[in-house]
Amino acid sequence: MKTQISKPARGKASYTMEYKQEALKLWRASGRSAAKVASELGIRAALLYRWARMERVADAAETGAKSRRSIEELEAENRRLREENTKLLEQREILKKSLGILSEVPHRGMPGSKP
């Protein structure tokens, strides 16, 4: 199945951002290897990998600037998580003690029972 995305003429190729995005979209949506998609498009697989890496770096830089949280927010979350951890540790200890009590073998001479 040949994909119809027009690419620049031979020579030193310079691809538009639209072409790169369409090629990456096609590669990701197809579920096929980069080599197969690249051969259909008439480019090298290394270009697809390079374009994908450049896109990831650009996205990471963009989201990194947006996701900065203040020290106060981080300290509040840290406090909340420590409290939750303490509570869970207490619950675990209670469950361990309960399991120990419930798994004991009953004595033969229980009070109130006939021998």
Side-chain angles (χ1 to χ4, degrees), residues 45-72:
L47 271 178
L48 285 176
Y49 289 120
R50 185 182 314 146
W51 294 343
R53 185 177 64 242
M54 288 170 36
E55 186 178 69
R56 279 193 309 272
V57 169
D59 288 347
E62 184 178 307
T63 58
K66 292 180 183 177
S67 66
R68 302 261 185 225
R69 297 195 298 176
S70 71
I71 292 176
E72 293 82 21

Side-chain angles (χ1 to χ4, degrees), residues 96-112:
K96 283 168 75 174
K97 289 177 184 177
S98 302
L99 182 64
I101 292 170
L102 293 174
S103 62
E104 287 180 359
V105 178
H107 303 288
R108 288 199 176 255
M110 299 271 302

Side-chain angles (χ1 to χ4, degrees), residues 7-13 15 42:
K7 68 173 198 160
R10 292 284 176 203
K12 175 124 172 91
Y15 301 95

Side-chain angles (χ1 to χ4, degrees), residues 57-106:
V57 169
D59 288 347
E62 184 178 307
T63 58
K66 292 180 183 177
S67 66
R68 302 261 185 225
R69 297 195 298 176
S70 71
I71 292 176
E72 293 82 21
E73 289 174 328
L74 294 172
E75 287 175 345
E77 182 182 12
N78 194 9
R79 227 181 349 268
R80 182 186 61 80
L81 291 172
R82 286 182 190 274
E83 290 170 1
E84 182 180 350
N85 190 29
T86 303
K87 179 181 172 184
L88 291 172
L89 287 172
E90 289 174 3
Q91 289 177 352
R92 185 185 72 180
E93 290 301 316
I94 292 169
L95 289 172
K96 283 168 75 174
K97 289 177 184 177
S98 302
L99 182 64
I101 292 170
L102 293 174
S103 62
E104 287 180 359
V105 178

